[in-house]
Amino acid sequence: MSEVTAPYPVGSPCWVDLMVGDQQAALDFYGELFGWSGEVGPEEVGGYTVCTLRGRAVAGIGKAMAMEGQPAPPTAWTTYLSVDDIDAAAAAAGTNGGQVFMGPMDVPPNIGRLAVGVDPTGGVFGLWQPLDFFGAQLVNEPNTLCWNELNSQDPQAASDFYSRMLGVRFTPYKEMPGYFTMHAGGRTVAGAQGLDQFPEGTPSHWLSYFSVNDTDATVEQLTKAGGAVLQKPYEIPAGRMAVVRDPQGGVFGVIAMPPSA
């Protein structure tokens, strides 16, 4: 699948966005790295930018703003999970040990409804109920989103939470012991694992992966632009991947997949 023309199944990652201190610098960085187009948006949506590739929406970049006297949140990519009733999903998050700390709220004009919360293990997630906008329109090809992964200090507790909140299910991935795939709408839509392979003290988090043609070349370009490498390029069954950080601290993965992947 590359071009998406219909709403994502309930529970599927459908959108990712980056909230960052210097929005224009982020737009410039990702524009150079991935070829995305986008300008700072209108005031009615806080300047939020829907970045595009070949005219199709691929990811969002917005300015991180403090709320109710709190400091601005750290630079981070957020994974949004598609829902058909965001009020019910938010309520289910609360009754299953999670917490919604923003929303549910309307995104004008009739774009959709969103909420952001944290699961019982500390992983931040977003919820998206589509109206006129269902999410990423181009995925699984170079310079677009290709995978979302929950890395949790307690994978069992996290999988139980998302299963109860969204009706998704998790199954072991035979090729990688300790790794699980998440399923929604009859499809494999995301992955999950513990934090054994991460530095001590790493909190639970959702990680967004973007497809690239050449992982090593992308990493080299990123470091020259002021980014950093957190996990050097290495091979996994799905391809050659790396985990990197942009110049403002946003962490994401890149992966070059073989043609048959």
Side-chain angles (χ1 to χ4, degrees), residues 39-53:
E39 298 180 353
V40 175
E43 290 185 8
E44 66 182 26
V45 291
Y48 189 89
T49 302
V50 173
C51 297
T52 62
L53 184 68

Side-chain angles (χ1 to χ4, degrees), residues 35-176:
W36 294 351
S37 299
E39 298 180 353
V40 175
E43 290 185 8
E44 66 182 26
V45 291
Y48 189 89
T49 302
V50 173
C51 297
T52 62
L53 184 68
R54 302 202 310 276
R56 294 174 175 83
V58 291
I61 296 178
K63 183 172 178 58
M65 294 180 286
M67 298 181 65
E68 299 179 358
Q70 300 296 316
T75 299
W77 282 97
T78 298
T79 293
Y80 290 82
L81 306 170
S82 185
V83 297
D84 54 10
D85 185 336
I86 200 166
D87 295 286
T95 58
N96 286 287
Q99 179 185 0
V100 171
F101 56 80
M102 186 175 75
M105 59 187 290
D106 296 330
V107 179
N110 203 51
I111 300 298
R113 304 192 71 216
L114 73 78
V116 180
V118 59
D119 68 37
T121 75
V124 174
F125 63 91
L127 299 173
W128 180 254
Q129 179 182 332
L131 294 173
D132 289 344
F133 181 75
F134 58 76
Q137 299 169 334
L138 203 61
V139 296
N140 297 335
E141 66 172 66
N143 303 317
T144 69
L145 183 70
C146 64
W147 190 242
N148 300 81
E149 181 179 87
L150 173 63
N151 300 296
S152 176
Q153 61 183 359
D154 189 338
Q156 185 62 60
S159 62
D160 288 347
F161 169 78
Y162 290 101
S163 296
R164 291 168 181 160
M165 180 176 65
L166 300 170
V168 296
R169 63 182 181 87
F170 292 79
T171 60
Y173 184 56
K174 296 179 181 179
E175 286 79 0
M176 295 175 64

Side-chain angles (χ1 to χ4, degrees), residues 8 15 28 43 60 62 67 80 87 94 103 120 143 154 157 170 176 190 196 203 213 223 234 239 244 250 257-258:
Y8 289 77
W15 186 244
D28 293 342
E43 290 185 8
M67 298 181 65
Y80 290 82
D87 295 286
N143 303 317
D154 189 338
F170 292 79
M176 295 175 64
D196 298 347
N213 284 312
T223 54
Y234 69 102
V244 296
M257 296 177 288

